């Protein structure tokens, strides 16, 4: 993660709004982790409704305070525009998982998997200390589903995700968030990689409820 952050900041500060000569900057980095519950609607949900896992996030956070204190890295002609920005959050790598499915079989069905979100956009409707955000993104999920009652399945599909997140800032370095995401995938049949005969016979909608604990720390680099 630390190796990727200078590349992230270099890319960010090379945008027309923030381009400038190389100099030392310190950026807050937000690392979030917490439990998640997944619901694979359709036959899997009917067999076993809930599956467990983790919700993950790593973001560089450029808030209004950071932009105000770092006016020197913003070209003078863009500083007025920068003052209107409440917050920018960018993940340093598309290879950091968005979530992990870790759900051993406790009834008839278990699964293990991972979801990546290469593209995501969020719209904050309120700001700290209580921040409510709606968002959308594109995801890619792989999950191995093994069952005593359903056909074993290697689920591999791209999808589109929409969701909402409510974040509580308890201090500068510690936050808690709760949220829900619904992801709609290209439908996949159980036991194979093809399309199901009918939508209700396969996997096409996965819901995720989560609780995340966020830890923030400063990261300094010379750009």
């Amino acid at each position: 993660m630390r190796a990727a952050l200078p590349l992230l900041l270099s890319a960010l500060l090379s945008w027309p709004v923030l381009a400038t000569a190389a100099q030392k900057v310190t950026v807050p980095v937000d690392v979030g982790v917490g439990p998640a519950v997944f619901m694979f609607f359709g036959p899997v949900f009917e067999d076993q409704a809930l599956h467990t896992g983790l919700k993950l996030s790593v973001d560089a956070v450029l808030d209004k305070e950071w932009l105000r204190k770092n006016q020197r890295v913003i070209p003078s002609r863009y500083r007025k525009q920068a003052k209107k920005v409440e917050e920018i959050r960018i993940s340093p790598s598309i290879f950091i998982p968005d979530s992990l499915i870790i759900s051993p079989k406790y009834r008839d069905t278990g699964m293990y998997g991972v979801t990546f979100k290469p593209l995501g956009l969020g719209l904050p409707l309120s700001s700290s200390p209580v921040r409510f955000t709606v968002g959308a993104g594109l995801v890619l999920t792989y999950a191995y589903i093994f069952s005593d009652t359903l056909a074993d399945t290697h689920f591999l599909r791209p999808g589109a995700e929409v969701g909402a997140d409510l974040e509580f800032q308890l201090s500068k370095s510690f936050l808690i968030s709760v949220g829900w995401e619904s992801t709609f995938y290209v439908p996949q049949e159980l036991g194979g990689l093809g399309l199901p005969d009918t939508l209700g016979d396969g996997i096409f909608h996965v819901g995720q409820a989560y609780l995340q604990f966020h830890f923030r720390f400063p990261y300094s680099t010379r750009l």
Side-chain angles (χ1 to χ4, degrees):
M1 179 187 69
R2 296 180 68 88
L5 279 170
L7 297 177
L8 160 71
L9 298 177
S10 295
L12 180 63
L13 296 179
S14 68
W15 292 356
V17 176
L18 296 174
T20 187
Q23 52 190 296
K24 186 175 181 180
V25 295
T26 300
V27 175
V29 174
D30 184 297
V31 177
V33 62
V37 176
F38 301 87
M39 286 147 276
F40 280 65
F41 295 104
V44 177
F45 184 84
E46 294 171 4
D47 180 78
Q48 182 175 308
L50 304 179
H51 294 272
T52 57
L54 294 173
K55 177 72 171 176
L56 308 172
S57 64
V58 179
D59 295 296
V61 181
L62 307 184
D63 58 15
K64 199 167 187 176
E65 181 181 356
W66 187 92
L67 294 170
R68 178 179 58 82
K69 291 181 177 180
N70 291 272
Q71 290 286 309
R72 69 187 189 281
V73 303
I74 304 173
S76 57
R77 65 183 181 278
Y78 296 119
R79 288 174 185 172
K80 185 176 180 180
Q81 295 172 322
K83 290 179 181 179
K84 299 177 182 178
V85 176
E86 289 292 332
E87 187 176 273
I88 301 171
R89 297 188 184 190
I90 300 180
S91 175
S93 174
I94 64 173
F95 299 108
I96 297 174
D98 179 75
S99 57
L100 299 175
I101 303 171
I102 309 170
S103 187
K105 186 194 305 180
Y106 71 87
R107 285 180 52 191
D108 298 320
T109 302
M111 65 176 72
Y112 295 96
V114 60
T115 292
F116 295 94
K117 186 187 294 185
L119 177 62
L121 298 173
L123 176 63
L125 302 181
S126 63
S127 56
S128 298
V130 180
R131 183 177 185 265
F132 180 68
T133 305
V134 295
L138 300 178
V139 304
L140 177 66
T141 296
Y142 168 76
Y144 173 57
I145 303 170
F146 52 98
S147 176
D148 295 332
T149 55
L150 302 172
D152 291 353
T153 302
H154 292 276
F155 177 74
L156 179 62
R157 281 295 192 265
E161 168 264 319
V162 294
D165 182 272
L166 185 62
E167 181 184 86
F168 303 89
Q169 184 170 4
L170 304 182
S171 70
K172 282 287 188 180
S173 58
F174 181 65
L175 304 88
I176 295 177
S177 65
V178 294
W180 170 268
E181 293 178 349
S182 282
T183 304
F184 300 91
Y185 294 95
V186 176
Q188 180 175 327
E189 64 181 350
L190 292 178
L193 292 173
L195 297 174
D197 293 334
T198 64
L199 198 60
D201 291 335
I203 301 171
F204 74 97
H205 176 204
V206 176
Q208 178 187 175
Y210 62 85
L211 167 68
Q212 266 193 306
F213 302 96
H214 298 262
F215 305 90
R216 289 189 180 178
F217 59 90
Y219 178 83
S220 298
T221 186
R222 184 170 295 278
L223 303 174

